[in-house]
Amino acid sequence: MVSLAGTVLALFAASLMVGNTFYGPGEVLRVFLGRPTAGAAFTVGELRLPRAALGLLAGACFGVAGATFQSLLRNPLASPDIIGISSGASAAAVVGIVVLSLDETAVSVLALGGALLTALVLHLLAGRGGFAGARLILVGIGLAAMLRSMVAYVLSQAAAWEMQSAMRWLAGSLNGATWLRVAPLAVASTVFLAALPAAGRTLGALRLGDDAAASLGVGVARSRLGLMLAAVVLLAFATAAAGPVAFVAFMAGPIAARLVGPGASLLPAAGLVGATLVLAADLAGQLAFAHRYPVGVVTGVLGAPYLVVLLIRSNRAGGSL
């Protein structure tokens, strides 16, 4: 856990120092202390710091949300971006950009509502299974396909400039990050991530099975619903701020589980892994290629092969949804 935290801190510092102009640790520190520093005050304080903060918070929220879904549904495919919740935010945002011509703030609010509404619809369509079981996963995959078709139709009717704006949002990006975008996510993160220790203990009990959790004094139905709602809210705020950054929620939980081992608290590790993935992918998208790419493009390139490998392993093991 300490090494994960150190990695996140190193990537956050690198995000502040590295770019078209390199600023050393001393110059970055002077910006934090409010001392006048030519060039660095604007570049670091107004451009890089909000971007790095957005990447850190969004990655942590994606990681925690994904690990919560996967643990409660006991399936590594039960990630919010696989079962349609991210697609709901995307569909709402595209409608806001193309059909309603809303500004950035209004689009973020609409994306937040879209994710929450999709989670509610998913819960209702899953029927008796509620927030548990393979039925929810299958319903979610179908719902995600429907929402992606809706996005494709709306984009096919869009003007060129509207399509460009929508596609930038759909890719998942930290470009143009401002404190106005970071602030709502920071509030949600503070409120929900502060409850990680208690949530981690409850989730650990639920991972043992409903009967075992009940014997330990956990209110199974209430706890499962509360954890799921918290995960949906974290995912919704992160998606509204940064767009649907592909596969971070999907990859963070399994990677964290391998790093911390059985019996350890999964949620803090998943949050740190999510932050690591987003910050590292953003740096790679800016510096590692001839052209700059949004963070969601880089995570998508990493996540798609991971999904294929996971499906192959599941098939060989005789697993199924």
Side-chain angles (χ1 to χ4, degrees):
M1 191 73 72
V2 174
S3 60
L4 272 176
T7 301
V8 172
L9 183 60
L11 288 169
F12 187 84
S15 298
L16 299 181
M17 293 187 294
V18 179
N20 289 333
T21 303
F22 177 82
Y23 295 101
E27 293 172 293
V28 172
L29 182 60
R30 283 195 291 272
V31 172
F32 274 94
L33 295 176
R35 298 175 182 174
T37 306
F42 176 76
T43 303
V44 175
E46 300 298 327
L47 298 180
R48 295 182 186 174
L49 185 55
R51 184 186 187 109
L54 179 58
L56 173 66
L57 293 173
C61 290
F62 282 131
V64 170
T68 301
F69 272 90
Q70 290 164 332
S71 296
L72 290 180
L73 299 179
R74 302 187 186 93
N75 193 311
L77 293 178
S79 170
D81 44 6
I82 300 294
I83 62 175
I85 298 175
S86 298
S87 298
S90 300
V94 169
V95 169
I97 294 170
V98 175
V99 179
L100 303 178
S101 300
L102 299 178
D103 60 23
E104 182 180 284
T105 302
V107 168
S108 296
V109 173
L110 197 61
L112 175 63
L116 296 173
L117 180 61
T118 303
L120 176 61
V121 172
L122 182 58
H123 175 64
L124 295 175
L125 290 179
R128 295 179 181 176
F131 277 122
R135 181 182 177 87
L136 182 139
I137 300 174
L138 293 173
V139 171
I141 291 173
L143 186 60
M146 293 173 59
L147 290 167
R148 285 193 293 268
S149 298
M150 175 183 171
V151 169
Y153 173 77
V154 173
L155 289 178
S156 71
Q157 307 299 312
W161 67 272
E162 291 174 330
M163 180 178 293
Q164 291 176 358
S165 179
M167 291 303 296
R168 279 196 300 270
W169 193 92
L170 286 171
S173 175
L174 306 182
N175 295 337
T178 63
W179 291 118
L180 186 63
R181 288 170 60 186
V182 174
L185 180 59
V187 172
S189 302
T190 302
V191 172
F192 286 94
L193 297 183
L196 277 184
R201 289 191 294 270
T202 302
L203 184 63
L206 290 173
R207 291 171 68 185
L208 299 175
D210 291 354
D211 292 338
S215 69
L216 294 173
V218 174
V220 174
R222 183 179 66 255
S223 297
R224 178 181 284 115
L225 181 61
L227 285 168
M228 282 292 185
L229 289 177
V232 168
V233 171
L234 285 175
L235 178 88
F237 272 96
T239 303
V245 182
F247 290 119
V248 175
F250 175 64
M251 293 188 292
I255 293 174
R258 283 182 168 82
L259 290 176
V260 302
S265 181
L266 180 62
L267 293 186
L272 291 172
V273 170
T276 298
L277 290 172
V278 173
L279 290 172
D282 186 51
L283 282 173
Q286 293 183 74
L287 305 173
F289 307 101
H291 302 282
R292 294 193 171 198
Y293 295 99
V295 61
V297 173
V298 180
T299 59
V301 170
L302 295 173
Y306 183 81
L307 175 59
V308 172
V309 170
L310 183 63
L311 291 172
I312 292 173
R313 286 180 176 175
S314 177
N315 182 64
R316 287 177 177 175
S320 65
L321 286 177

